[in-house]
Amino acid sequence: MHSKLEKMTTNRTFTMLKPDAIENGHMGKIIDLIIQSGFTIKAMKYTQLTKEQAMKFYEVHSERPFYMELVDYMTSGPIVAAILEKENAVADFRTLIGSTDPADAADGTIRKSYAESKAKNAVHGSDSDENAQIEGEFHFNSSEII
Ligand code: ATP
Ligand code: MG
């Protein structure tokens, strides 16, 4: 029998609305934009990451000079974590959020509209089906996925 998490491989992505988005009051507008763009919410959690969780989530960046800055920022306030479903979810969501640096992001993207800076860039989106599954499992167990 396949678990709900295994179904995430081709049509699901994982997102976090980052602390700047929450602090700046953009949570509702960003969730609305995600829904209006055709994504279905499969799981959602309002939470705050511990330092240990943030260090593990961003382990892939542990050699980058901004790693501890990123960990400190991601633990600085509440976030919203969510699993989203849509055909071609990973690529379409990356298009919706725009480039890492809002200065480079296309008009109409979430980062262009709501991000503060390259570091405080409002939203995370998985960069592959494999990472979407790993990141979804990091934040949710199968009983939390609709
Ligand atoms: P995300 O993984 O959050 O969706 P991304 O894939 O566009 O973003 P990555 O290269 O994976 O970008 O970087 C992860 C996060 O690290 C960025 O979203 C940003 O918050 C932070 N970051 C990236 N580059 C820098 C930098 N030069 N200085 C500070 N923070 C940075
Ligand atoms: Mg990334």
Side-chain angles (χ1 to χ4, degrees):
M1 194 174 127
H2 294 285
S3 77
K4 288 180 182 178
L5 283 166
E6 278 174 284
K7 281 196 222 157
M8 201 160 67
T9 325
T10 58
N11 59 356
R12 291 187 184 180
T13 191
F14 172 79
T15 187
M16 289 184 290
L17 309 194
K18 299 183 178 185
D20 65 289
I22 308 304
E23 191 177 333
N24 293 328
H26 296 143
M27 181 171 89
K29 285 173 288 187
I30 293 172
I31 293 172
D32 188 49
L33 189 50
I34 290 169
I35 294 167
Q36 298 312 319
S37 300
F39 293 88
T40 303
I41 294 167
K42 305 303 290 182
M44 183 169 271
K45 189 180 286 181
Y46 183 72
T47 186
Q48 186 158 350
L49 298 178
T50 65
K51 189 171 178 180
E52 290 67 31
Q53 284 176 310
M55 286 179 74
K56 186 152 186 289
F57 188 87
Y58 284 111
E59 207 164 21
V60 59
H61 296 307
S62 61
E63 302 304 318
R64 310 274 286 274
F66 58 82
Y67 177 59
M68 284 318 295
E69 179 192 336
L70 178 59
V71 168
D72 287 345
Y73 158 58
M74 287 302 296
T75 57
S76 67
I79 63 151
V80 172
I83 294 173
L84 306 173
E85 191 167 84
K86 183 183 184 294
E87 204 177 309
N88 203 29
V90 167
D92 284 4
F93 194 70
R94 296 286 294 191
T95 301
L96 177 63
I97 68 179
S99 300
T100 308
D101 187 339
D104 302 328
D107 283 348
T109 61
I110 292 174
R111 283 170 169 165
K112 179 72 171 191
S113 301
Y114 301 115
E116 258 183 67
S117 65
K118 185 173 184 178
K120 299 183 176 185
N121 60 0
V123 64
H124 164 81
S126 303
D127 59 12
S128 65
D129 286 346
E130 186 191 4
N131 283 336
Q133 178 149 0
I134 292 167
E135 292 169 3
E137 286 175 350
F138 184 85
H139 286 271
F140 297 97
N141 60 54
S142 57
S143 69
E144 295 174 302
I145 301 171
I146 311 294

PDB file of all heavy atoms in Angstrom, residues 44-68:
ATOM      1  N   MET A  44      -1.167  22.070   6.086  1.00  0.00           N
ATOM      2  CA  MET A  44      -0.718  23.439   6.410  1.00  0.00           C
ATOM      3  C   MET A  44      -0.532  23.571   7.914  1.00  0.00           C
ATOM      4  O   MET A  44      -1.340  23.065   8.695  1.00  0.00           O
ATOM      5  CB  MET A  44      -1.736  24.461   5.908  1.00  0.00           C
ATOM      6  CG  MET A  44      -1.307  25.901   6.155  1.00  0.00           C
ATOM      7  SD  MET A  44      -2.356  27.083   5.275  1.00  0.00           S
ATOM      8  CE  MET A  44      -1.490  27.187   3.723  1.00  0.00           C
ATOM      9  N   LYS A  45       0.529  24.274   8.297  1.00  0.00           N
ATOM     10  CA  LYS A  45       0.874  24.403   9.722  1.00  0.00           C
ATOM     11  C   LYS A  45       1.476  25.781   9.992  1.00  0.00           C
ATOM     12  O   LYS A  45       2.379  26.205   9.276  1.00  0.00           O
ATOM     13  CB  LYS A  45       1.902  23.320  10.054  1.00  0.00           C
ATOM     14  CG  LYS A  45       2.223  23.149  11.512  1.00  0.00           C
ATOM     15  CD  LYS A  45       3.249  22.036  11.673  1.00  0.00           C
ATOM     16  CE  LYS A  45       2.659  20.642  11.466  1.00  0.00           C
ATOM     17  NZ  LYS A  45       3.641  19.570  11.654  1.00  0.00           N
ATOM     18  N   TYR A  46       0.945  26.472  11.004  1.00  0.00           N
ATOM     19  CA  TYR A  46       1.525  27.745  11.470  1.00  0.00           C
ATOM     20  C   TYR A  46       2.413  27.406  12.645  1.00  0.00           C
ATOM     21  O   TYR A  46       1.934  26.885  13.667  1.00  0.00           O
ATOM     22  CB  TYR A  46       0.380  28.675  11.879  1.00  0.00           C
ATOM     23  CG  TYR A  46       0.795  30.056  12.321  1.00  0.00           C
ATOM     24  CD1 TYR A  46       1.251  30.991  11.400  1.00  0.00           C
ATOM     25  CD2 TYR A  46       0.694  30.435  13.653  1.00  0.00           C
ATOM     26  CE1 TYR A  46       1.606  32.268  11.794  1.00  0.00           C
ATOM     27  CE2 TYR A  46       1.045  31.711  14.064  1.00  0.00           C
ATOM     28  CZ  TYR A  46       1.501  32.624  13.123  1.00  0.00           C
ATOM     29  OH  TYR A  46       1.839  33.887  13.527  1.00  0.00           O
ATOM     30  N   THR A  47       3.711  27.685  12.515  1.00  0.00           N
ATOM     31  CA  THR A  47       4.640  27.185  13.519  1.00  0.00           C
ATOM     32  C   THR A  47       5.887  28.065  13.568  1.00  0.00           C
ATOM     33  O   THR A  47       6.007  29.018  12.792  1.00  0.00           O
ATOM     34  CB  THR A  47       5.025  25.721  13.190  1.00  0.00           C
ATOM     35  OG1 THR A  47       5.814  25.182  14.236  1.00  0.00           O
ATOM     36  CG2 THR A  47       5.783  25.597  11.884  1.00  0.00           C
ATOM     37  N   GLN A  48       6.776  27.781  14.478  1.00  0.00           N
ATOM     38  CA  GLN A  48       8.078  28.473  14.505  1.00  0.00           C
ATOM     39  C   GLN A  48       9.167  27.423  14.585  1.00  0.00           C
ATOM     40  O   GLN A  48       9.113  26.527  15.439  1.00  0.00           O
ATOM     41  CB  GLN A  48       8.153  29.442  15.690  1.00  0.00           C
ATOM     42  CG  GLN A  48       9.427  30.279  15.678  1.00  0.00           C
ATOM     43  CD  GLN A  48       9.317  31.572  16.483  1.00  0.00           C
ATOM     44  OE1 GLN A  48       8.237  31.961  16.913  1.00  0.00           O
ATOM     45  NE2 GLN A  48      10.429  32.238  16.682  1.00  0.00           N
ATOM     46  N   LEU A  49      10.149  27.516  13.691  1.00  0.00           N
ATOM     47  CA  LEU A  49      11.206  26.521  13.644  1.00  0.00           C
ATOM     48  C   LEU A  49      12.171  26.696  14.810  1.00  0.00           C
ATOM     49  O   LEU A  49      12.504  27.824  15.189  1.00  0.00           O
ATOM     50  CB  LEU A  49      12.005  26.657  12.337  1.00  0.00           C
ATOM     51  CG  LEU A  49      11.246  26.428  11.029  1.00  0.00           C
ATOM     52  CD1 LEU A  49      12.176  26.662   9.835  1.00  0.00           C
ATOM     53  CD2 LEU A  49      10.659  25.018  10.983  1.00  0.00           C
ATOM     54  N   THR A  50      12.639  25.579  15.342  1.00  0.00           N
ATOM     55  CA  THR A  50      13.747  25.635  16.295  1.00  0.00           C
ATOM     56  C   THR A  50      15.044  25.770  15.494  1.00  0.00           C
ATOM     57  O   THR A  50      15.088  25.504  14.287  1.00  0.00           O
ATOM     58  CB  THR A  50      13.834  24.345  17.130  1.00  0.00           C
ATOM     59  OG1 THR A  50      14.160  23.259  16.250  1.00  0.00           O
ATOM     60  CG2 THR A  50      12.529  24.062  17.862  1.00  0.00           C
ATOM     61  N   LYS A  51      16.103  26.158  16.190  1.00  0.00           N
ATOM     62  CA  LYS A  51      17.402  26.274  15.528  1.00  0.00           C
ATOM     63  C   LYS A  51      17.817  24.922  14.931  1.00  0.00           C
ATOM     64  O   LYS A  51      18.337  24.853  13.816  1.00  0.00           O
ATOM     65  CB  LYS A  51      18.440  26.762  16.546  1.00  0.00           C
ATOM     66  CG  LYS A  51      19.761  27.120  15.917  1.00  0.00           C
ATOM     67  CD  LYS A  51      20.684  27.793  16.920  1.00  0.00           C
ATOM     68  CE  LYS A  51      22.019  28.093  16.257  1.00  0.00           C
ATOM     69  NZ  LYS A  51      22.965  28.737  17.158  1.00  0.00           N
ATOM     70  N   GLU A  52      17.577  23.859  15.676  1.00  0.00           N
ATOM     71  CA  GLU A  52      17.941  22.519  15.199  1.00  0.00           C
ATOM     72  C   GLU A  52      17.179  22.175  13.912  1.00  0.00           C
ATOM     73  O   GLU A  52      17.745  21.636  12.968  1.00  0.00           O
ATOM     74  CB  GLU A  52      17.639  21.466  16.279  1.00  0.00           C
ATOM     75  CG  GLU A  52      18.548  21.513  17.484  1.00  0.00           C
ATOM     76  CD  GLU A  52      18.397  22.765  18.357  1.00  0.00           C
ATOM     77  OE1 GLU A  52      17.267  23.330  18.428  1.00  0.00           O
ATOM     78  OE2 GLU A  52      19.399  23.201  18.947  1.00  0.00           O
ATOM     79  N   GLN A  53      15.874  22.479  13.891  1.00  0.00           N
ATOM     80  CA  GLN A  53      15.076  22.194  12.689  1.00  0.00           C
ATOM     81  C   GLN A  53      15.580  22.997  11.486  1.00  0.00           C
ATOM     82  O   GLN A  53      15.706  22.461  10.384  1.00  0.00           O
ATOM     83  CB  GLN A  53      13.600  22.551  12.933  1.00  0.00           C
ATOM     84  CG  GLN A  53      12.840  21.556  13.785  1.00  0.00           C
ATOM     85  CD  GLN A  53      11.430  22.065  14.047  1.00  0.00           C
ATOM     86  OE1 GLN A  53      11.224  23.208  14.463  1.00  0.00           O
ATOM     87  NE2 GLN A  53      10.451  21.227  13.794  1.00  0.00           N
ATOM     88  N   ALA A  54      15.839  24.293  11.708  1.00  0.00           N
ATOM     89  CA  ALA A  54      16.280  25.147  10.595  1.00  0.00           C
ATOM     90  C   ALA A  54      17.650  24.707  10.087  1.00  0.00           C
ATOM     91  O   ALA A  54      17.894  24.673   8.875  1.00  0.00           O
ATOM     92  CB  ALA A  54      16.318  26.602  11.041  1.00  0.00           C
ATOM     93  N   MET A  55      18.545  24.334  11.000  1.00  0.00           N
ATOM     94  CA  MET A  55      19.878  23.880  10.578  1.00  0.00           C
ATOM     95  C   MET A  55      19.764  22.607   9.744  1.00  0.00           C
ATOM     96  O   MET A  55      20.442  22.454   8.729  1.00  0.00           O
ATOM     97  CB  MET A  55      20.769  23.642  11.802  1.00  0.00           C
ATOM     98  CG  MET A  55      21.232  24.931  12.441  1.00  0.00           C
ATOM     99  SD  MET A  55      22.255  24.682  13.898  1.00  0.00           S
ATOM    100  CE  MET A  55      23.785  24.149  13.134  1.00  0.00           C
ATOM    101  N   LYS A  56      18.849  21.722  10.141  1.00  0.00           N
ATOM    102  CA  LYS A  56      18.680  20.469   9.398  1.00  0.00           C
ATOM    103  C   LYS A  56      18.013  20.731   8.044  1.00  0.00           C
ATOM    104  O   LYS A  56      18.430  20.196   7.018  1.00  0.00           O
ATOM    105  CB  LYS A  56      17.847  19.491  10.236  1.00  0.00           C
ATOM    106  CG  LYS A  56      17.717  18.117   9.637  1.00  0.00           C
ATOM    107  CD  LYS A  56      17.513  17.066  10.722  1.00  0.00           C
ATOM    108  CE  LYS A  56      17.527  15.660  10.152  1.00  0.00           C
ATOM    109  NZ  LYS A  56      16.347  15.343   9.351  1.00  0.00           N
ATOM    110  N   PHE A  57      16.972  21.574   8.055  1.00  0.00           N
ATOM    111  CA  PHE A  57      16.253  21.850   6.805  1.00  0.00           C
ATOM    112  C   PHE A  57      17.203  22.443   5.762  1.00  0.00           C
ATOM    113  O   PHE A  57      17.134  22.114   4.578  1.00  0.00           O
ATOM    114  CB  PHE A  57      15.086  22.810   7.062  1.00  0.00           C
ATOM    115  CG  PHE A  57      14.202  22.993   5.872  1.00  0.00           C
ATOM    116  CD1 PHE A  57      13.151  22.123   5.636  1.00  0.00           C
ATOM    117  CD2 PHE A  57      14.437  24.015   4.970  1.00  0.00           C
ATOM    118  CE1 PHE A  57      12.341  22.266   4.524  1.00  0.00           C
ATOM    119  CE2 PHE A  57      13.636  24.170   3.853  1.00  0.00           C
ATOM    120  CZ  PHE A  57      12.583  23.301   3.633  1.00  0.00           C
ATOM    121  N   TYR A  58      18.089  23.345   6.193  1.00  0.00           N
ATOM    122  CA  TYR A  58      18.990  24.049   5.263  1.00  0.00           C
ATOM    123  C   TYR A  58      20.401  23.468   5.255  1.00  0.00           C
ATOM    124  O   TYR A  58      21.345  24.144   4.855  1.00  0.00           O
ATOM    125  CB  TYR A  58      19.015  25.539   5.593  1.00  0.00           C
ATOM    126  CG  TYR A  58      17.768  26.263   5.124  1.00  0.00           C
ATOM    127  CD1 TYR A  58      16.845  26.774   6.030  1.00  0.00           C
ATOM    128  CD2 TYR A  58      17.510  26.434   3.762  1.00  0.00           C
ATOM    129  CE1 TYR A  58      15.696  27.432   5.593  1.00  0.00           C
ATOM    130  CE2 TYR A  58      16.371  27.087   3.316  1.00  0.00           C
ATOM    131  CZ  TYR A  58      15.478  27.593   4.232  1.00  0.00           C
ATOM    132  OH  TYR A  58      14.352  28.240   3.782  1.00  0.00           O
ATOM    133  N   GLU A  59      20.526  22.203   5.682  1.00  0.00           N
ATOM    134  CA  GLU A  59      21.839  21.538   5.739  1.00  0.00           C
ATOM    135  C   GLU A  59      22.587  21.617   4.407  1.00  0.00           C
ATOM    136  O   GLU A  59      23.814  21.755   4.379  1.00  0.00           O
ATOM    137  CB  GLU A  59      21.642  20.078   6.131  1.00  0.00           C
ATOM    138  CG  GLU A  59      22.821  19.470   6.821  1.00  0.00           C
ATOM    139  CD  GLU A  59      22.447  18.174   7.518  1.00  0.00           C
ATOM    140  OE1 GLU A  59      21.429  17.553   7.149  1.00  0.00           O
ATOM    141  OE2 GLU A  59      23.177  17.798   8.447  1.00  0.00           O
ATOM    142  N   VAL A  60      21.835  21.557   3.324  1.00  0.00           N
ATOM    143  CA  VAL A  60      22.435  21.626   1.981  1.00  0.00           C
ATOM    144  C   VAL A  60      23.232  22.914   1.794  1.00  0.00           C
ATOM    145  O   VAL A  60      24.167  22.969   0.996  1.00  0.00           O
ATOM    146  CB  VAL A  60      21.339  21.463   0.892  1.00  0.00           C
ATOM    147  CG1 VAL A  60      20.291  22.544   1.014  1.00  0.00           C
ATOM    148  CG2 VAL A  60      21.917  21.452  -0.504  1.00  0.00           C
ATOM    149  N   HIS A  61      22.889  23.962   2.553  1.00  0.00           N
ATOM    150  CA  HIS A  61      23.594  25.250   2.444  1.00  0.00           C
ATOM    151  C   HIS A  61      24.640  25.442   3.556  1.00  0.00           C
ATOM    152  O   HIS A  61      25.133  26.547   3.736  1.00  0.00           O
ATOM    153  CB  HIS A  61      22.596  26.408   2.529  1.00  0.00           C
ATOM    154  CG  HIS A  61      21.623  26.448   1.392  1.00  0.00           C
ATOM    155  ND1 HIS A  61      22.019  26.432   0.081  1.00  0.00           N
ATOM    156  CD2 HIS A  61      20.261  26.506   1.370  1.00  0.00           C
ATOM    157  CE1 HIS A  61      20.954  26.476  -0.701  1.00  0.00           C
ATOM    158  NE2 HIS A  61      19.870  26.507   0.059  1.00  0.00           N
ATOM    159  N   SER A  62      24.975  24.364   4.284  1.00  0.00           N
ATOM    160  CA  SER A  62      25.807  24.532   5.488  1.00  0.00           C
ATOM    161  C   SER A  62      27.208  25.067   5.194  1.00  0.00           C
ATOM    162  O   SER A  62      27.845  25.643   6.081  1.00  0.00           O
ATOM    163  CB  SER A  62      25.888  23.232   6.281  1.00  0.00           C
ATOM    164  OG  SER A  62      26.473  22.237   5.486  1.00  0.00           O
ATOM    165  N   GLU A  63      27.690  24.895   3.968  1.00  0.00           N
ATOM    166  CA  GLU A  63      29.020  25.423   3.616  1.00  0.00           C
ATOM    167  C   GLU A  63      28.955  26.848   3.064  1.00  0.00           C
ATOM    168  O   GLU A  63      29.991  27.466   2.815  1.00  0.00           O
ATOM    169  CB  GLU A  63      29.692  24.513   2.577  1.00  0.00           C
ATOM    170  CG  GLU A  63      29.864  23.063   3.027  1.00  0.00           C
ATOM    171  CD  GLU A  63      30.633  22.940   4.333  1.00  0.00           C
ATOM    172  OE1 GLU A  63      31.631  23.651   4.503  1.00  0.00           O
ATOM    173  OE2 GLU A  63      30.202  22.149   5.195  1.00  0.00           O
ATOM    174  N   ARG A  64      27.735  27.348   2.842  1.00  0.00           N
ATOM    175  CA  ARG A  64      27.605  28.694   2.250  1.00  0.00           C
ATOM    176  C   ARG A  64      27.818  29.752   3.336  1.00  0.00           C
ATOM    177  O   ARG A  64      27.480  29.537   4.509  1.00  0.00           O
ATOM    178  CB  ARG A  64      26.199  28.876   1.631  1.00  0.00           C
ATOM    179  CG  ARG A  64      25.770  27.754   0.689  1.00  0.00           C
ATOM    180  CD  ARG A  64      26.241  27.947  -0.731  1.00  0.00           C
ATOM    181  NE  ARG A  64      25.501  28.980  -1.433  1.00  0.00           N
ATOM    182  CZ  ARG A  64      24.348  28.785  -2.082  1.00  0.00           C
ATOM    183  NH1 ARG A  64      23.770  27.599  -2.072  1.00  0.00           N
ATOM    184  NH2 ARG A  64      23.781  29.768  -2.733  1.00  0.00           N
ATOM    185  N   PRO A  65      28.361  30.910   2.962  1.00  0.00           N
ATOM    186  CA  PRO A  65      28.670  31.939   3.974  1.00  0.00           C
ATOM    187  C   PRO A  65      27.434  32.466   4.699  1.00  0.00           C
ATOM    188  O   PRO A  65      27.559  32.956   5.828  1.00  0.00           O
ATOM    189  CB  PRO A  65      29.348  33.054   3.155  1.00  0.00           C
ATOM    190  CG  PRO A  65      29.034  32.760   1.736  1.00  0.00           C
ATOM    191  CD  PRO A  65      28.815  31.295   1.613  1.00  0.00           C
ATOM    192  N   PHE A  66      26.270  32.345   4.089  1.00  0.00           N
ATOM    193  CA  PHE A  66      25.060  32.910   4.699  1.00  0.00           C
ATOM    194  C   PHE A  66      24.282  31.894   5.537  1.00  0.00           C
ATOM    195  O   PHE A  66      23.184  32.185   6.003  1.00  0.00           O
ATOM    196  CB  PHE A  66      24.152  33.515   3.624  1.00  0.00           C
ATOM    197  CG  PHE A  66      23.716  32.533   2.553  1.00  0.00           C
ATOM    198  CD1 PHE A  66      22.645  31.664   2.752  1.00  0.00           C
ATOM    199  CD2 PHE A  66      24.375  32.491   1.334  1.00  0.00           C
ATOM    200  CE1 PHE A  66      22.242  30.763   1.778  1.00  0.00           C
ATOM    201  CE2 PHE A  66      23.978  31.588   0.332  1.00  0.00           C
ATOM    202  CZ  PHE A  66      22.911  30.728   0.574  1.00  0.00           C
ATOM    203  N   TYR A  67      24.859  30.710   5.765  1.00  0.00           N
ATOM    204  CA  TYR A  67      24.103  29.631   6.424  1.00  0.00           C
ATOM    205  C   TYR A  67      23.548  30.042   7.789  1.00  0.00           C
ATOM    206  O   TYR A  67      22.345  29.904   8.045  1.00  0.00           O
ATOM    207  CB  TYR A  67      25.000  28.401   6.549  1.00  0.00           C
ATOM    208  CG  TYR A  67      24.398  27.215   7.271  1.00  0.00           C
ATOM    209  CD1 TYR A  67      23.216  26.611   6.817  1.00  0.00           C
ATOM    210  CD2 TYR A  67      25.024  26.664   8.390  1.00  0.00           C
ATOM    211  CE1 TYR A  67      22.680  25.501   7.470  1.00  0.00           C
ATOM    212  CE2 TYR A  67      24.501  25.554   9.040  1.00  0.00           C
ATOM    213  CZ  TYR A  67      23.333  24.978   8.587  1.00  0.00           C
ATOM    214  OH  TYR A  67      22.814  23.891   9.225  1.00  0.00           O
ATOM    215  N   MET A  68      24.401  30.567   8.678  1.00  0.00           N
ATOM    216  CA  MET A  68      23.905  30.897  10.026  1.00  0.00           C
ATOM    217  C   MET A  68      22.966  32.103  10.003  1.00  0.00           C
ATOM    218  O   MET A  68      22.013  32.165  10.784  1.00  0.00           O
ATOM    219  CB  MET A  68      25.058  31.098  11.019  1.00  0.00           C
ATOM    220  CG  MET A  68      25.695  29.793  11.482  1.00  0.00           C
ATOM    221  SD  MET A  68      24.548  28.427  11.866  1.00  0.00           S
ATOM    222  CE  MET A  68      23.660  29.098  13.266  1.00  0.00           C
TER     223      MET A  68
END
